Amino acid sequence: MKFIKMLIIITFATFFLVACGSKQSSQETVQGTAEAFVQALIDADEKTLKNLNRDETNPTDHLLSSIAPKFSDLKIEDITFELDKKKNEVLVEYKGEETIRYWLDVEKIGDKYFVTKLT
């Protein structure tokens, strides 16, 4: 009986450590930042866009009013991300009834990556 109790405690402790372990931040990689940015466009998530966006020519309110509606009916799985490692650019593309295509320039500022230009 003591063995079973100990086994249950170890199982719960292991599960807790795995479930609550440190997740990799989406801003630790160029690809992760691009994916988080596009997910925020899909969700029209103003808070996340403000956090990730450092593009002075496309402020968050412009992204929400002009760019996000193009993504609103999509799922992240519908979109392809093609990374150009030399330039730290990511091609974001959706090929459906209408093709959606943007280049995201992603730069490391401090210890995190941010979208610095959308073209």
Side-chain angles (χ1 to χ4, degrees):
M1 187 67 156
K2 192 174 184 180
F3 175 75
I4 293 174
K5 287 181 184 180
M6 191 60 136
L7 185 61
I8 291 172
I9 291 171
I10 290 172
T11 302
F12 279 120
T14 303
F15 176 75
F16 179 78
L17 290 173
V18 170
C20 298
S22 62
K23 284 175 117 178
Q24 183 178 14
S25 167
S26 62
Q27 287 182 266
E28 289 181 2
T29 66
V30 172
Q31 180 90 16
T33 301
E35 289 175 3
F37 185 83
V38 171
Q39 185 65 58
L41 288 172
I42 292 168
D43 297 338
D45 182 349
E46 182 178 10
K47 183 179 176 184
T48 301
L49 286 172
K50 279 185 179 181
N51 181 45
L52 296 173
N53 186 34
R54 297 294 184 271
D55 183 354
E56 294 177 8
T57 60
N58 289 301
T60 300
D61 60 335
H62 171 73
L63 294 173
L64 288 169
S65 64
S66 299
I67 310 292
K70 297 175 185 179
F71 288 87
S72 64
D73 293 331
L74 303 179
K75 296 178 183 165
I76 197 77
E77 298 84 23
D78 299 331
I79 299 166
T80 60
F81 296 86
E82 186 178 318
L83 177 62
D84 181 341
K85 290 183 181 182
K86 292 180 183 176
K87 296 182 181 178
N88 277 353
E89 292 180 338
V90 180
L91 174 62
V92 175
E93 191 169 39
Y94 168 74
K95 292 182 181 179
E97 289 179 27
E98 278 188 51
T99 297
I100 300 171
R101 184 179 198 167
Y102 288 101
W103 279 100
L104 301 179
D105 290 5
V106 181
E107 293 181 27
K108 192 168 193 173
I109 302 171
D111 61 346
K112 294 183 179 180
Y113 286 93
F114 297 90
V115 175
T116 56
K117 187 174 180 185
L118 179 135
T119 51

